[in-house]
Amino acid sequence: MVSNSMDYLTIALPKGKLFGLSADMFAKIGYTAEDLSEKSRKLIISNDDKKIRFIISKTADVPTYVEYGAADIGVIGKDVLLESGKDVYELLDLGFGRCHLMMAVHKNQKRGKLMDYNHTRVATKFPHIAEGFFNSKGMQMEYIKLNGSIELGPIVGLSESIVDIVETGTTLRENNLEEIAYIMDATARLICNRVSFKLKFDRIHQMTEDLRKLLALAEV
Ligand code: PRP
């Protein structure tokens, strides 16, 4: 067993779209590890000189590793973080991975107004966020949780609509779906375990400040 020792700072990186950007960002402040690659079958990659350990996790699990302290630090999209409801500190908005959450329907099945979808089925990876949104509109929906390729829902008649993220809009376009309601913006966030923040304050504070400076440079 590899425990999250006091000597090491353990950082959970999500597989998928945020992986490369996160690894590059940490490399720029000197947080590197040999063979740190999404394709590697190694799930834990350490830099023993710098006392850093990266763990490579499925995106939706990053907040879980951080909440339980199996990782001190994590990188995760605000959308996934909100949906998880996990109790962690959010240290920084990293700015990359920008996307937005929205509701979309099939172009051929568009109804007049949002309320016309009341009491219909919505397919989503984000049932909690979706429920918050529809509740705020006074709507009651049936939520069908999917784990990917959400856009299939209305195409195969599983649901009338989807709530999902849009980045470039390509997936919506290529599947004849149209956004009909905006829900929220999301970017990657640096998150931290609450106990680690106190016990490893100096290291985490230094790392956060280094990242803050890096982000400020990128904005110039
Ligand atoms: C996400 C999301 C959309 C797509 C949006 O899926 O669920 O399907 O990206 O991106 P676009 O606007 O640039 O087309 P992801 O690629 O993470 O895979 P998934 O469908 O398996 O969740």
Side-chain angles (χ1 to χ4, degrees), residues 192-207:
C192 181
N193 173 268
R194 289 185 178 276
V195 177
S196 302
F197 189 71
K198 294 195 181 79
L199 295 181
K200 303 183 184 180
F201 179 79
D202 289 345
R203 284 197 76 182
I204 292 172
H205 179 67
Q206 185 62 56
M207 184 193 70

Side-chain angles (χ1 to χ4, degrees), residues 45-104:
I45 300 170
S46 300
N47 178 335
D48 294 323
D49 294 335
K50 296 209 164 174
K51 299 274 185 276
I52 300 162
R53 186 180 285 142
F54 289 98
I55 65 176
I56 303 174
S57 135
K58 208 164 155 57
T59 303
D61 294 333
V62 167
T64 305
Y65 285 105
V66 175
E67 184 186 47
Y68 284 90
D72 303 303
I73 295 289
V75 174
I76 193 63
K78 179 70 177 178
D79 48 341
V80 178
L81 179 60
L82 254 187
E83 183 63 26
S84 76
K86 297 294 182 195
D87 184 22
V88 296
Y89 282 135
E90 200 180 304
L91 297 179
L92 273 182
D93 181 345
L94 299 170
F96 58 77
R98 187 170 292 280
C99 59
H100 73 277
L101 263 150
M102 51 90 233
M103 177 191 187

